[in-house]
């Protein structure tokens, strides 16, 4: 597959409501859509799911966009992929990033092709930076490009990306899993009632110190048989562990990211934090503990597992740095009896549909964070509706991404567009 054009769109998706967690609120979703066009005219799309503010991880949308424009996209113009993962061989052979990328294609808006290297030098990173180094530093930016490359490669061959590259038996339907943000308790109970009435069997609650137990207890009392999970988004101090222990009787399927593990720069120090916690505390917490934003690679998964605190992994392709790293994490979970399930990022259908397909894996821990897209956005940019009927969604594995792009909606949401060819 020869790449003739790469397109980067900065899009803005107006949301139907403000989604609140312990770390912040989101009422307007900006994202980056990467398009990779081949010599045959086929285009594959990928999404960069970083947020505009570093409340989730340290990689922001601005950082992702910068590295794509100054390094990755110019580099891949005219490159040929001879296999699904050839892009990794190509970047491994890069001597450095940022020195000559401005000459690779006609992009000079930032006015400095060396931007990536200069900023890395300011952070104390030794030059030259290799492609693999940047991939590790900007996993979400790389994931968006990698996914677009994979969908173009597989789509051109007429095969499904997820169906072909992700091992494991798969269902042809998935069940919905609704995530409910921080809201007044009466509103929360009404929301749970409404989703259960529509056939949803799994609810995940955003939790924070102070009222976590009251919220879980109220939902469990109203719906004793529902699959219930929690997500603390790193909001509890170790000295607040009693509140986490108090969740033991409520049979949560998992609790995500209970303890604070970020430094002031937004970098996660989870291995150090959890290694320092008392072993007796680990034995006292009966709820299976799940990790999400603090695990951004296979190496970090191994390190967290070694602490003895990780029971379950939340799988998000963008956070893990692409589908190849996701597959490696899945393999590690399976070989070490670690539970896993499929998350979501308040993202467009370009990224969401990959997660829909991943959620069909028969050995997932529970239903993923996947519900009707119309909850979040008035219109999606893919043509396959992600809308559940009685809590269930049929999943197809068409070539490439598995669905088509609604070009009119994509154009409507596009804030700016840059083309390399």
């Amino acid at each position: 597959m020869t790449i003739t054009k790469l397109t980067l769109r900065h899009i803005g998706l107006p949301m139907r409501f403000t989604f609140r967690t312990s770390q912040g609120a989101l009422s307007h979703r900006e994202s980056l859509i990467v398009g990779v066009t081949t010599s045959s005219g086929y285009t594959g799309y990928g999404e960069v799911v970083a947020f505009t503010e570093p409340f989730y991880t340290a990689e922001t949308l601005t950082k992702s966009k910068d590295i794509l424009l100054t390094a990755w996209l110019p580099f891949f113009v005219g490159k040929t992929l001879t296999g699904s993962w050839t892009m990794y061989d190509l970047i491994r052979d890069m001597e450095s990033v940022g020195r000559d990328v401005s000459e690779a294609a006609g992009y000079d808006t930032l006015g400095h092709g060396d931007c990536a290297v200069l900023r890395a030098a300011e952070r104390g990173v030794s030059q030259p930076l290799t492609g693999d180094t940047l991939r590790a530093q900007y996993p979400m930016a790389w994931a968006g490009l990698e996914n677009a490359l994979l969908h173009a490669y597989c789509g051109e061959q007429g095969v499904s990306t997820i169906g072909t590259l992700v091992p494991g038996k798969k269902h042809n339907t998935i069940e919905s899993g609704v995530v409910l943000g921080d809201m007044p308790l009466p509103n929360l109970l009404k929301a749970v009632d409404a989703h259960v009435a529509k056939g949803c069997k799994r609810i995940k609650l955003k939790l924070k110190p102070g009222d976590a137990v009251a919220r879980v207890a109220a939902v469990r009392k109203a719906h004793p048989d529902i699959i219930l999970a929690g997500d603390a988004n790193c909001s509890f101090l170790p000295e607040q562990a009693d509140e986490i222990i108090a969740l033991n009787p409520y049979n949560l399927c998992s609790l995500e990211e209970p303890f604070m593990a970020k430094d002031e720069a937004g970098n996660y120090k989870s291995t150090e934090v959890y290694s320092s916690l008392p072993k007796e505390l680990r034995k006292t917490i009966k709820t299976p503990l799940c990790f999400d934003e603090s695990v951004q690679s296979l190496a970090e998964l191994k390190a967290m597992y070694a602490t003895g605190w990780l029971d379950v992994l939340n799988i998000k392709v963008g956070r893990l740095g692409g589908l190849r790293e996701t597959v490696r994490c899945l393999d590690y979970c399976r070989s070490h009896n670690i539970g896993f399930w499929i998350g979501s990022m308040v993202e467009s259908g370009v990224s969401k549909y990959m997660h829909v397909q991943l959620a069909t894996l028969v050995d997932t821990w529970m239903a993923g964070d996947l519900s009707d897209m119309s909850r979040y956005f008035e219109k999606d940019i893919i043509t396959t509706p992600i809308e559940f009927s009685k809590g269930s969604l049929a999943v197809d594995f068409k070539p490439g991404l598995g669905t088509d792009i609604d070009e009119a909606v994509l154009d409507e949401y596009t804030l700016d567009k840059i083309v390399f060819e």
Side-chain angles (χ1 to χ4, degrees):
M1 178 191 84
T2 299
I3 302 163
T4 58
K5 182 170 70 173
L6 296 103
T7 305
L8 184 68
R9 292 175 183 256
H10 188 158
I11 65 170
L13 301 168
M15 294 181 61
R16 288 181 176 273
F17 66 99
T18 299
F19 186 75
R20 301 183 186 279
T21 74
S22 62
Q23 300 299 314
L26 190 68
S27 58
H28 183 87
R29 180 58 156 128
E30 292 185 36
S31 184
L32 302 175
I33 302 296
V34 181
V36 172
T37 303
T38 73
S39 56
S40 71
Y42 190 93
T43 300
Y45 292 89
E47 182 171 5
V48 180
V49 293
F51 292 100
T52 53
E53 300 295 330
F55 64 84
Y56 180 66
T57 69
E59 182 179 354
T60 62
L61 200 70
T62 298
K63 293 178 181 178
S64 298
K65 187 175 183 179
D66 182 45
I67 202 65
L68 284 165
L69 293 177
T70 61
W72 297 126
L73 300 187
F75 174 79
F76 277 98
V77 174
K79 295 294 190 296
T80 296
L81 273 63
T82 57
S84 301
W85 308 113
T86 307
M87 70 282 291
Y88 287 91
D89 298 326
L90 293 174
I91 64 169
R92 194 175 299 117
D93 293 337
M94 295 173 69
E95 293 183 0
S96 64
V97 175
R99 292 178 177 175
D100 57 0
V101 294
S102 61
E103 300 175 1
Y107 175 72
D108 59 3
T109 301
L110 291 182
H112 51 299
D114 290 345
C115 175
V117 169
L118 292 173
R119 291 189 180 175
E122 291 169 2
R123 295 194 304 270
V125 178
S126 300
Q127 297 187 50
L129 287 176
T130 66
D132 276 338
T133 301
L134 280 183
R135 179 177 60 82
Q137 290 181 355
Y138 302 93
M140 293 187 190
W142 173 254
L145 174 58
E146 183 231 57
N147 294 340
L149 291 166
L150 288 176
H151 296 325
Y153 183 83
C154 291
E156 191 175 71
Q157 296 188 45
V159 299
S160 161
T161 302
I162 298 294
T164 304
L165 300 179
V166 179
K169 187 176 180 181
K170 302 172 182 70
H171 295 297
N172 56 14
T173 61
I174 63 171
E175 293 185 343
S176 65
V178 172
V179 185
L180 295 175
D182 190 16
M183 63 184 77
L185 186 54
N187 296 6
L188 174 65
L189 292 174
K190 289 179 181 178
V192 173
D193 290 344
H195 287 295
V196 172
K198 292 179 180 179
C200 180
K201 300 176 182 177
R202 195 230 73 173
I203 299 287
K204 188 176 85 175
L205 308 177
K206 292 291 186 178
L207 303 175
K208 65 182 187 304
D211 64 354
V213 177
R215 295 165 70 81
V216 170
V219 173
R220 178 56 80 201
K221 181 178 180 180
H223 298 280
D225 299 324
I226 199 171
I227 298 172
L228 192 59
D231 185 359
N233 290 114
C234 303
S235 58
F236 286 83
L237 295 169
E239 51 265 35
Q240 296 171 312
D242 284 348
E243 194 170 352
I244 294 173
I245 296 170
L247 295 172
N248 286 348
Y250 298 102
N251 192 29
L252 292 181
C253 198
S254 68
L255 174 64
E256 287 178 69
E257 299 284 359
F259 295 112
M260 289 185 182
K262 282 200 298 186
D263 61 20
E264 292 182 357
N267 299 304
Y268 285 93
K269 305 293 182 182
S270 300
T271 302
E272 296 93 323
V273 169
Y274 282 88
S275 295
S276 67
L277 293 175
K279 292 182 179 179
E280 293 76 15
L281 176 60
R282 179 67 183 98
K283 295 176 183 179
T284 307
I285 298 173
K286 304 302 182 183
T287 303
L289 298 183
C290 177
F291 288 82
D292 176 1
E293 54 263 45
S294 63
V295 175
Q296 299 178 46
S297 66
L298 175 60
E300 292 183 354
L301 170 59
K302 291 179 178 179
M304 273 305 305
Y305 181 63
T307 68
W309 283 82
L310 185 147
D311 300 308
V312 187
L313 180 67
N314 178 330
I315 295 285
K316 295 175 182 174
V317 177
R319 186 196 82 237
L320 290 173
L323 191 60
R324 189 185 73 159
E325 196 77 355
T326 296
V327 170
R328 290 178 171 181
C329 288
L330 287 171
D331 289 343
Y332 188 83
C333 287
R334 287 164 171 159
S335 63
H336 290 78
N337 295 316
I338 300 169
F340 67 86
W341 57 277
I342 312 304
S344 180
M345 292 278 290
V346 187
E347 57 207 348
S348 85
V350 173
S351 180
K352 182 85 73 178
Y353 206 71
M354 292 184 71
H355 294 102
V356 165
Q357 292 172 315
L358 286 169
T360 64
L361 290 166
V362 300
D363 52 347
T364 54
W365 180 262
M366 64 179 177
D369 283 344
L370 301 163
S371 58
D372 296 347
M373 284 292 283
S374 59
R375 283 185 63 210
Y376 298 96
F377 312 115
E378 182 179 347
K379 291 180 286 188
D380 196 3
I381 61 178
I382 62 171
T383 59
T384 302
I386 302 178
E387 300 293 324
F388 290 76
S389 176
K390 298 180 180 179
S392 179
L393 175 70
V395 182
D396 197 1
F397 290 86
K398 296 177 181 177
L401 172 61
T403 181
D404 296 320
I405 302 300
D406 189 323
E407 297 286 350
V409 177
L410 180 57
D411 286 341
E412 178 184 342
Y413 287 152
T414 295
L415 303 176
D416 66 56
K417 173 183 173 181
I418 299 171
V419 178
F420 297 80
E421 58 185 337

